Amino acid sequence: MAFRSLPQTRQAGSTDSASNDPYAPLQNAPSDRPFVIAQLGQSLDGRIATSTGESQWINCDGALDHVHRLRALVDAVVVGVGTAVADNPLLNVRRVEGRSPARVVIDPWGRLPPDSHCLRDDGVRRLLVRSVDVDVPAGCEAIKINARDRKVSPKEIVASLFERGLRRILIEGGSRTISEFIDADALDRLHVLVAPIIIGSGKAGLSLNPVGKLSEARRPRTHVHMLPGGDVLFDCEMRSPS
Ligand SMILES: NC(=O)c1ccc[n+]([C@@H]2O[C@H](COP(=O)([O-])OP(=O)(O)OC[C@H]3O[C@@H](n4cnc5c(N)ncnc54)[C@H](OP(=O)(O)O)[C@@H]3O)[C@@H](O)[C@H]2O)c1
């Protein structure tokens, strides 16, 4: 896929070739630890859905291709049950060449309908992160992780997936799920795909623990790419020093 890299505007980033290829960090991910990337498609004003919940599609075809390319490069794609219920996604690779990853739904209380598309048996592993003992559909694997204050630790989720042979992990959404991973410092990389549309209300892409001062805000080293179709990809190094 053709990408046009823009000059880095905010941070003095490295000039190595990896900074010009948004897929290189995944392709070169270390083999001895998990590598976690999240993606979020949003409007110029940071919305991922309208006030009535309409979200398909904010981003352009180039951004959708990008998400499928990421899926093809990971071992597992993870969504929260909110997304699995709202969008009923297939979570497979269709728009580019490549293998579909294992599908993981964070569903602590067992509210995902068993006939959800992401649970269908197409030969790909399907895993459910649960905090309660609820039967999982035939052929699916349960990962039991206790919740604290109704939160499941993202780092425990990642460690459990790694134990099961799933090393490169894509957190595909939605808002709460990605926010929990950022607040827990559980991401290596964050891809924010910004579409030139202003929605003005509706669901925000991220909702993080509040900071009082800008100096406390995260300011990751970021590489910027123009996608075919007009969206802009911000590829953020979440483990780089601010
Ligand atoms: N633009 C994009 O790139 C993109 C991508 C994906 C989805 N979306 C949109 O995002 C929206 C859904 O986002 P959302 O924030 O409502 O839902 P979500 O993040 O998909 O799912 C949130 C739910 O998953 C469970 N969950 C996830 N992480 C958890 C954790 N660490 N600990 C405990 N529970 C956890 C909780 O389930 P319980 O509620 O059962 O406790 C939580 O309420 C939809 O409109 C969808 O279209 C947009």
Side-chain angles (χ1 to χ4, degrees):
M1 185 189 306
F3 282 93
R4 191 147 56 84
S5 294
L6 301 179
Q8 292 176 11
T9 53
R10 190 50 139 156
Q11 302 288 326
S14 65
T15 54
D16 59 31
S17 60
S19 66
N20 290 322
D21 180 354
Y23 307 115
L26 263 179
Q27 286 164 324
N28 302 327
S31 57
D32 58 347
R33 70 164 181 90
F35 187 90
V36 188
I37 184 167
Q39 79 79 40
L40 187 64
Q42 63 175 39
S43 65
L44 280 176
D45 53 328
R47 311 285 174 168
I48 61 167
T50 67
S51 56
T52 61
E54 190 182 346
S55 62
Q56 294 177 343
W57 298 105
I58 291 172
N59 293 95
C60 70
D61 278 1
L64 299 179
D65 290 346
H66 174 71
V67 175
H68 281 244
R69 181 87 173 109
L70 290 178
R71 286 181 188 168
L73 289 172
V74 295
D75 303 308
V77 57
V78 178
V79 294
V81 64
T83 295
V85 169
D87 298 348
N88 200 10
L90 294 163
L91 297 178
N92 60 10
V93 175
R94 304 184 297 283
R95 299 179 66 98
V96 300
E97 298 254 316
R99 176 186 59 87
S100 291
R103 299 187 287 271
V104 182
V105 181
I106 306 174
D107 180 23
W109 320 110
R111 67 181 175 95
L112 182 66
D115 60 351
S116 299
H117 287 153
C118 61
L119 296 180
R120 82 205 175 284
D121 184 1
D122 58 356
V124 165
R125 283 175 80 180
R126 294 146 289 148
L127 303 97
L128 292 164
V129 176
R130 289 275 172 79
S131 298
V132 289
D133 291 316
V134 181
D135 285 344
V136 295
C140 296
E141 302 166 50
I143 302 177
K144 176 92 184 285
I145 303 178
N146 290 329
R148 276 173 233 106
D149 297 330
R150 291 191 70 84
K151 288 189 181 197
V152 181
S153 156
K155 285 188 176 166
E156 281 186 58
I157 295 171
V158 169
S160 301
L161 294 176
F162 187 63
E163 272 170 24
R164 287 163 176 79
L166 303 169
R167 176 172 57 88
R168 289 167 305 177
I169 298 164
L170 170 64
I171 313 299
E172 197 171 305
S175 160
R176 166 154 178 215
T177 301
I178 294 178
S179 299
E180 295 280 0
F181 272 75
I182 294 175
D183 273 336
D185 282 325
L187 291 185
D188 293 285
R189 215 84 183 187
L190 173 65
H191 281 188
V192 182
L193 300 139
V194 179
I197 175 176
I198 300 169
I199 302 176
S201 59
K203 198 170 187 64
L206 294 176
S207 179
L208 302 175
N209 291 334
V211 294
K213 296 178 182 165
L214 283 176
S215 59
E216 294 164 2
R218 291 164 197 273
R219 217 187 269 276
R221 184 157 59 177
T222 296
H223 313 276
V224 185
H225 304 269
M226 191 88 183
L227 300 186
D231 289 2
V232 178
L233 165 62
F234 293 85
D235 173 14
C236 308
E237 296 182 22
M238 299 303 280
R239 299 212 184 279
S240 65
S242 280

